[in-house]
Amino acid sequence: MEEKYIYVSQEDGWQKGHSPSILRSGGVGPCIVIAAYDFRTTSGYMIHEPDFPINKTLEPFIEVLQEDYGRLDELSLYITGGAADLDADKQHKKDVAENKRHVESIVLARFNPEQVILDWLEDGWMTELSLDTFDGTFDTDPECLDNLVTAHFG
């Protein structure tokens, strides 16, 4: 079976992929991307959320995971993004920081900390997250953005 790429844009809400799909977030900076993987079904979900606050979509996303997989305690999650632009005003930086705190509080209330990888970006950084549904590998790739080795803008 040939693997297929599923790109999860900011407009998509969330997407689901089954093995051998690879879910990809596209560029992530201040946005927050959450990928969830279930080893039993070799499938996963990804959400790419640009809006502040993320509470409009985070709870419904977790509910979809609950409905689809039944048990949240068997999933693996990877969360990244949350980098303010280096030249952002104080309100933007405050909004980004609050969004990260909000995500952490909701996710860690519903999932065991051992299930969750929190990989917040430093301000000014960008990356891309991919989830390989064949084996549950999460990968960040800063070189994906115009072959910038460090993906650091400043």
Side-chain angles (χ1 to χ4, degrees):
M1 229 179 186
E2 186 176 324
E3 66 185 26
K4 71 176 184 176
Y5 291 99
I6 300 171
Y7 290 91
V8 182
S9 75
Q10 299 171 5
E11 292 82 27
D12 290 333
W14 51 79
Q15 296 275 346
K16 182 179 184 180
H18 297 274
S19 182
S21 301
I22 297 176
L23 294 160
R24 297 187 73 149
S25 68
V28 180
C31 301
I32 292 178
V33 173
I34 302 171
Y37 183 73
D38 180 43
F39 283 96
R40 290 177 301 129
T41 63
T42 60
S43 67
Y45 280 89
M46 184 178 286
I47 184 171
H48 186 155
E49 182 56 56
D51 295 324
F52 298 107
I54 194 171
N55 62 355
K56 294 183 248 174
T57 54
L58 182 56
E59 287 288 352
F61 177 67
I62 293 172
E63 292 306 316
V64 166
L65 297 176
Q66 178 79 58
E67 289 171 18
D68 198 7
Y69 295 122
R71 295 185 55 175
L72 294 178
D73 63 347
E74 295 182 1
L75 301 178
S76 298
L77 274 73
Y78 194 103
I79 302 170
T80 192
D85 298 327
L86 289 176
D87 59 351
D89 61 31
K90 288 181 182 182
Q91 185 59 49
H92 175 75
K93 289 181 180 185
K94 181 181 173 187
D95 290 344
V96 169
E98 178 58 33
N99 222 21
K100 291 191 294 189
R101 281 191 296 275
H102 180 73
V103 168
E104 286 184 32
S105 69
I106 289 178
V107 168
L108 294 176
R110 302 283 302 268
F111 297 89
N112 296 322
E114 309 80 58
Q115 294 174 257
V116 181
I117 297 171
L118 290 166
D119 186 17
W120 296 123
L121 296 173
E122 293 181 40
D123 289 351
W125 286 72
M126 297 183 78
T127 192
E128 179 176 30
L129 176 63
S130 64
L131 165 57
D132 187 336
T133 59
F134 178 74
D135 61 5
T137 302
F138 298 104
D139 186 38
T140 55
D141 184 9
E143 294 183 340
C144 72
L145 301 171
D146 298 326
N147 294 322
L148 295 173
V149 177
T150 61
H152 187 269
F153 302 101

